[in-house]
Amino acid sequence: MCVEAHSVFDLVRILAQANSIKRIRSSGRAFKHVLIYFVARASNGDYGNQGMQSNSKLLSFFSAALLLLTVPQIFQAQVPAPSPGSAEPSPTQRQTPPNPPPTAPTVQPVQTLNNGDSTGIYGIQGVLIETVDGKTVSSQAVDQGFNPASSIKLATALVALETFGPQHRFATGFWTDGSFDKSTGQILGNLYVTGRDPSFHYEHAVMVARQLNVLGIRTVTGDLVIASGFTMNFGASARRSGEVLLDTLDASLRSSEAIRTWTYERSTKQDFASLQAVPSVNVMGDIQIGSVPLAARLLLTHNSSKLTDVLKVLLCYSNNFMAERIGDSLGGTQAVRRRLIDRLAIPPEELQLASLSGLGSNRVTPRAMMRIFRELRKGLQKNKLSPADIMPVAGIDPGTLEDRFTGPAWQGSVIAKTGTLVRTDGGASSLVGQMRTANGEVLLFVIMNQRGNVVRFRENQDYMVMQVQNSRGGPKAFKYNPLALTMKLADTESVSGSASAESEPNLKSTSSP
C-alpha cells in the first residue's frame, strides 16, 4: 500500500477512499507505513525551519494517529433493538456473547427513540418480556450479566416475605433494670432500647413517649442504653440514633421536625385524642451503647407496621438504608444470594451480589431477574396480595415512578421497580415489573441498560414498554386503590410488658384510633 499524505486532511481522505475502516485497522503493514511516514517527515526536518509551524505540524501527526484509533467506532454497525412483537431475538442479538467482562463491554446503539428519529441510545442492553404463562414476547442478551442497581431490592423483598411473612412486624423493646416510683412517675434506673426496626422514625418515638406516659412513666433517672443494632430516622449510627431518640422522647428537647411529623401523622389518621396532651419522658442520664441485663424487665414493645407496608415505602422511594437493614436481618448479602440460587435454581454465575440495596457492582442476568420477579408475584398471590401492594404504581405513587408513564392513558398501567447508578459501570439503569394492555393482558418485563446516559436509558425503557402496549391495543390501568405512604408506616402497635405491680403494665393499645 502506498500513501502520500501532507496533512491530517490528506490522511482522512486516504481513509475515506479505503473500502472499509476495518481493513485499515486490520492491516498492520498499512498502519505502520502511515506512522513511519509521518515520523520520517518530522525527523528529517520536512516540517522544520518554519518556527512555530513545526510544532503545529507535529501536533497534526499525533492527531492523525489518534484519529486512526477512534474513527472506526464511527463506522460501527448498528445493533437493532428487540422487536416488541418478536418472540425470538434477531440474528445479531443471538450473536451477543454471554457475560462479557464487566470492565470492557461492547458499547453499541441499543434503541431508536422519538417515533422513528434516528437518535441512538449508546450502551449495552438486556431485555426480556414475557406473558404471564411464560411465552417470550421480546428478548435480547438475556444471559448476559448486567448491573441491576436498585431493582435488586425486589430480591431482598422476596426473601424477606418468604422468611418473615407479609404480616411480620419489627419489634423495638423498652426495658428497665430499676424500680418504678408511681407517686413521682420516675424509673429509678436505666432505660434500655433493643430492636432492628428499619422504619423507626420521629413519630414512632413520640408514640413511645405517649405510651410510657400512659404507664405513668415521665422520668428516667439513669441512662438511655441503646443496643448496637438500634437505628432511627434511617441513620446507621446507633449512638446518633440514641441521641435523636432521647431528644424526641423529651418534649422540651423535641425538634420542630419531630413535632410536625407527629402532628401530621396523627391528624391524617384522625387520632386527635393523641394530640390533646404533649407526650414527654425525660431521661436524666447519658447515652450508652450496651446490652440489656438479664434482670431487666420489659416495659413496652413498639411493633412496626406490617412488612408489606414497610416494603411499599422502601420500594417506592428506593430506600437503600431500609433494604440493607432488612438484608442484615436475613443474614446478609451472601445468605440472600444462596437462598435465591437454591430456591429458584438460578445458575450461580447469573447472580453476583455485592449489596442488597443495589449499590456497588452487582450482576444479574435478565433471565435470572425474571425468575426473581415471577417468584415474588407468586408469593404475593399466595397471600392474596398483588405487586401493587409493595411496588410503585407508575404515575400514581410518590417516589421513583411518580413522573413516569404520567399520560392519562398510561397512568397506573405499569407497576415496576427502578434502578439507577449514575457512575457505577459507566451508568446503569433498569426497570423490572409488569404492564397491562387494553385487552387486560398482563406482560412481565425486565429491561437493563449499562454504559451510557441514565436519563436516555429511562426514556428508552419507557418508550419500549409503551411500544409493546400499543402493539397490543394500548395501555390499561391496573385496579389500584392508592393510600398515602405516610399511612403505611403509621399502622404501628404498642404493647406493654409482662404484669408488674410497679410499672402497671396492663396496657395494650395501637397507634391507630
Side-chain angles (χ1 to χ4, degrees), residues 129 169 197 387 445 447 470:
I129 303 175
R169 296 175 184 264
D197 180 2
F445 63 87
I447 308 174
N470 282 337

Side-chain angles (χ1 to χ4, degrees), residues 259-290:
I259 295 171
R260 284 195 303 270
T261 304
W262 162 254
T263 303
Y264 174 78
E265 183 202 64
R266 290 298 99 194
S267 298
T268 304
K269 290 188 68 69
Q270 298 185 340
D271 179 18
F272 300 111
S274 295
L275 299 175
Q276 296 302 309
V278 180
S280 184
V281 174
N282 174 28
V283 180
M284 302 175 67
D286 296 327
I287 303 294
Q288 303 291 339
I289 305 297

Side-chain angles (χ1 to χ4, degrees), residues 32-64:
K32 180 179 178 181
H33 182 89
V34 174
L35 291 183
I36 290 176
Y37 175 83
F38 277 100
V39 171
R41 290 287 298 272
S43 62
N44 290 334
D46 289 355
Y47 297 138
N49 302 320
Q50 299 183 33
M52 293 300 292
Q53 289 184 357
S54 175
N55 291 333
S56 176
K57 297 284 187 174
L58 287 172
L59 180 60
S60 296
F61 157 68
F62 289 110
S63 299

Side-chain angles (χ1 to χ4, degrees), residues 23-341:
R23 291 177 59 187
I24 297 295
R25 287 296 302 271
S26 62
S27 174
R29 290 192 303 273
F31 186 64
K32 180 179 178 181
H33 182 89
V34 174
L35 291 183
I36 290 176
Y37 175 83
F38 277 100
V39 171
R41 290 287 298 272
S43 62
N44 290 334
D46 289 355
Y47 297 138
N49 302 320
Q50 299 183 33
M52 293 300 292
Q53 289 184 357
S54 175
N55 291 333
S56 176
K57 297 284 187 174
L58 287 172
L59 180 60
S60 296
F61 157 68
F62 289 110
S63 299
L66 179 61
L67 190 61
L68 279 169
L69 295 174
T70 58
V71 164
Q73 297 183 26
I74 299 174
F75 296 88
Q76 191 173 35
Q78 298 287 308
V79 176
S83 170
S86 173
E88 293 295 331
S90 68
T92 303
Q93 294 163 344
R94 285 196 291 267
Q95 293 170 7
T96 302
N99 298 322
T103 56
T106 301
V107 180
Q108 296 176 327
V110 296
Q111 179 68 19
T112 299
L113 296 181
N114 302 326
N115 297 321
D117 292 349
S118 56
T119 303
I121 306 300
Y122 284 83
I124 56 176
Q125 175 170 274
V127 176
L128 183 56
I129 303 175
E130 297 179 342
T131 62
V132 172
D133 59 3
K135 294 180 181 178
T136 301
V137 174
S138 181
S139 66
Q140 179 182 6
V142 296
D143 296 316
Q144 180 172 324
F146 291 85
N147 192 329
S150 285
S151 63
I152 200 64
K153 289 182 173 76
L154 294 176
T156 307
L158 167 62
V159 177
L161 286 168
E162 289 185 344
T163 302
F164 300 132
Q167 302 299 314
H168 174 77
R169 296 175 184 264
F170 296 94
T172 302
F174 293 82
W175 312 67
T176 187
D177 58 358
S179 59
F180 174 56
D181 186 341
K182 185 176 179 180
S183 63
T184 61
Q186 290 185 329
I187 289 287
L188 306 175
N190 297 326
L191 181 64
Y192 297 86
V193 183
T194 60
R196 303 182 64 88
D197 180 2
S199 63
F200 196 87
H201 205 253
Y202 281 129
E203 61 271 27
H204 307 130
V206 179
M207 177 57 72
V208 167
R210 181 177 184 272
Q211 300 300 345
L212 289 174
N213 287 168
V214 172
L215 291 172
I217 300 170
R218 299 189 177 278
T219 304
V220 176
T221 61
D223 295 331
L224 181 62
V225 184
I226 303 295
S228 59
F230 173 79
T231 58
M232 180 175 171
N233 288 3
F234 315 129
S237 169
R239 179 171 293 278
R240 176 55 185 159
S241 295
E243 293 171 352
V244 175
L245 175 60
L246 186 147
D247 290 348
T248 308
L249 289 174
D250 191 337
S252 66
L253 302 175
R254 190 172 297 147
S255 68
S256 57
E257 183 179 359
I259 295 171
R260 284 195 303 270
T261 304
W262 162 254
T263 303
Y264 174 78
E265 183 202 64
R266 290 298 99 194
S267 298
T268 304
K269 290 188 68 69
Q270 298 185 340
D271 179 18
F272 300 111
S274 295
L275 299 175
Q276 296 302 309
V278 180
S280 184
V281 174
N282 174 28
V283 180
M284 302 175 67
D286 296 327
I287 303 294
Q288 303 291 339
I289 305 297
S291 57
V292 179
L294 294 176
R297 295 177 296 109
L298 180 64
L299 297 172
L300 186 73
T301 299
H302 172 86
N303 292 317
S304 73
S305 295
K306 294 177 293 185
L307 177 60
T308 50
D309 293 334
V310 173
L311 290 176
K312 179 71 173 183
V313 174
L314 186 165
L315 295 175
C316 280
Y317 289 112
S318 200
N319 190 293
N320 294 327
F321 174 81
M322 296 174 74
E324 293 292 350
R325 291 288 293 176
I326 291 177
D328 290 343
S329 299
L330 296 169
T333 303
Q334 295 311 310
V336 170
R337 176 177 179 267
R338 288 192 298 270
R339 174 75 174 267
L340 292 169
I341 289 173

Side-chain angles (χ1 to χ4, degrees), residues 411-430:
Q411 194 175 40
S413 70
V414 175
I415 302 171
K417 179 70 193 78
T418 61
T420 304
L421 290 170
V422 177
R423 295 182 180 86
T424 305
D425 287 313
S429 180
S430 63

Side-chain angles (χ1 to χ4, degrees), residues 481-500:
N481 182 25
L483 179 66
L485 294 189
T486 304
M487 309 312 299
K488 293 289 185 180
L489 297 184
D491 185 26
T492 60
E493 297 177 350
S494 296
V495 183
S496 66
S498 57
S500 168

Side-chain angles (χ1 to χ4, degrees), residues 290-507:
S291 57
V292 179
L294 294 176
R297 295 177 296 109
L298 180 64
L299 297 172
L300 186 73
T301 299
H302 172 86
N303 292 317
S304 73
S305 295
K306 294 177 293 185
L307 177 60
T308 50
D309 293 334
V310 173
L311 290 176
K312 179 71 173 183
V313 174
L314 186 165
L315 295 175
C316 280
Y317 289 112
S318 200
N319 190 293
N320 294 327
F321 174 81
M322 296 174 74
E324 293 292 350
R325 291 288 293 176
I326 291 177
D328 290 343
S329 299
L330 296 169
T333 303
Q334 295 311 310
V336 170
R337 176 177 179 267
R338 288 192 298 270
R339 174 75 174 267
L340 292 169
I341 289 173
D342 295 342
R343 175 80 171 75
L344 305 182
I346 296 175
E349 65 273 13
E350 293 191 23
L351 182 63
Q352 301 293 331
L353 298 183
S355 74
L356 295 176
S357 62
L359 296 175
S361 296
N362 295 296
R363 286 292 183 273
V364 61
T365 64
R367 193 186 304 280
M369 182 57 79
M370 181 62 78
R371 289 189 189 181
I372 290 170
F373 181 58
R374 281 188 175 277
E375 194 64 24
L376 180 61
R377 292 181 79 252
K378 180 180 176 181
L380 290 168
Q381 291 172 354
K382 182 179 178 181
N383 288 281
K384 298 181 180 180
L385 298 168
S386 73
D389 289 311
I390 67 168
M391 293 172 63
V393 178
I396 297 178
D397 284 329
T400 59
L401 277 184
E402 183 175 4
D403 297 323
R404 296 173 69 172
F405 303 98
T406 55
W410 274 272
Q411 194 175 40
S413 70
V414 175
I415 302 171
K417 179 70 193 78
T418 61
T420 304
L421 290 170
V422 177
R423 295 182 180 86
T424 305
D425 287 313
S429 180
S430 63
L431 190 67
V432 180
Q434 61 185 42
M435 68 180 90
R436 195 179 188 203
T437 63
N439 61 2
E441 181 183 25
V442 175
L443 300 174
L444 315 184
F445 63 87
V446 175
I447 308 174
M448 294 180 172
N449 298 99
Q450 201 167 297
R451 301 278 177 196
N453 186 302
V454 296
V455 175
R456 300 303 301 276
F457 284 159
R458 290 174 184 169
E459 294 173 353
N460 172 58
Q461 293 157 6
D462 293 359
Y463 175 83
M464 188 176 298
V465 169
M466 291 188 288
Q467 190 180 39
V468 172
Q469 288 176 311
N470 282 337
S471 71
R472 294 173 180 245
K476 184 176 183 179
F478 288 95
K479 294 180 180 179
Y480 178 56
N481 182 25
L483 179 66
L485 294 189
T486 304
M487 309 312 299
K488 293 289 185 180
L489 297 184
D491 185 26
T492 60
E493 297 177 350
S494 296
V495 183
S496 66
S498 57
S500 168
E502 289 185 316
S503 59
E504 296 184 347
N506 297 321
L507 167 73

